[in-house]
Amino acid sequence: TQSTWGMKLGGVTWEVMKEILEFEADRFVLTLTRNTYEVRELDPDDRERLYPTFGTLRDVHDGLSRCYSDDELRERLRPFPEFAEMLEAERAGEREGRLSGMETRFMERAVALHKDALARQFHYGGFYSWIKLKELEVNNLMWIAECIVQNMRH
């Protein structure tokens, strides 16, 4: 179920958190789907049971759980332009030799949502967004440190 505390609080808290939580749910669905294309032991019904029970993709979970390639996934995501564009941009980037994966685009979208949440006032979603942005900052610092340790300077 969706965040009942946010629904009970209502107002700006629910507006902000609803958008963030739906995005995170959709992100999880697409990431899980793509990461389990080759896992034949996970049948579509089992995969669908792993999906969150909310998000903008909720109505197409059944179809998404039966995808075993990016082409199938792209076809199922046609009614959702934001996600279809992400997949198409990734494919175009691969053809041009660029690495700009869907995860990068998810991260950019998440940062934009969290920054928007911090720009609004008088709601609890700002605390959640601040923590998520700090978590991202720590992950980036760890990645930089790993690059230095491995002598990968460009």
Side-chain angles (χ1 to χ4, degrees):
T1 62
Q2 288 188 349
S3 168
T4 54
W5 69 267
M7 289 167 49
K8 287 178 185 173
L9 287 173
V12 178
T13 297
W14 179 236
E15 288 173 28
V16 169
M17 290 305 296
K18 181 179 185 293
E19 187 176 9
I20 291 171
L21 294 175
E22 284 184 343
F23 169 76
E24 290 296 339
D26 295 342
R27 176 185 189 172
F28 179 81
V29 166
L30 295 176
T31 301
L32 177 67
T33 300
R34 292 184 82 205
N35 288 338
T36 58
Y37 285 161
E38 301 297 321
V39 181
R40 298 297 178 203
E41 296 84 15
L42 187 64
D43 67 43
D45 294 329
D46 290 337
R47 187 190 284 175
E48 188 174 357
R49 279 193 289 274
L50 293 173
Y51 292 161
T53 57
F54 60 97
T56 58
L57 298 175
R58 178 183 62 243
D59 295 334
V60 294
H61 280 179
D62 184 52
L64 293 175
S65 69
R66 291 165 181 10
C67 291
Y68 289 98
S69 72
D70 277 351
D71 291 330
E72 292 176 42
L73 186 60
R74 194 173 292 108
E75 189 61 36
R76 302 264 200 241
L77 291 176
R78 279 193 197 283
F80 305 92
E82 178 183 9
F83 300 116
E85 287 171 16
M86 282 183 185
L87 264 176
E88 194 56 45
E90 181 178 57
R91 184 165 67 170
E94 287 172 358
R95 282 194 303 256
E96 297 170 6
R98 288 183 287 118
L99 282 175
S100 62
M102 200 165 186
E103 273 304 310
T104 301
R105 295 180 186 281
F106 279 144
M107 191 59 61
E108 291 168 352
R109 176 76 174 122
V111 167
L113 286 171
H114 291 303
K115 284 172 60 177
D116 181 52
L118 291 174
R120 300 174 99 186
Q121 297 179 351
F122 308 115
H123 66 93
Y124 293 111
F127 296 106
Y128 178 80
S129 289
W130 184 82
I131 289 170
K132 293 306 250 181
L133 288 171
K134 284 295 175 187
E135 183 179 277
L136 179 62
E137 184 179 350
V138 167
N139 289 340
N140 287 341
L141 290 171
M142 290 182 67
W143 181 78
I144 291 168
E146 282 295 319
C147 287
I148 291 169
V149 166
Q150 296 174 17
N151 205 19
M152 297 177 59
R153 300 177 190 176
H154 289 263

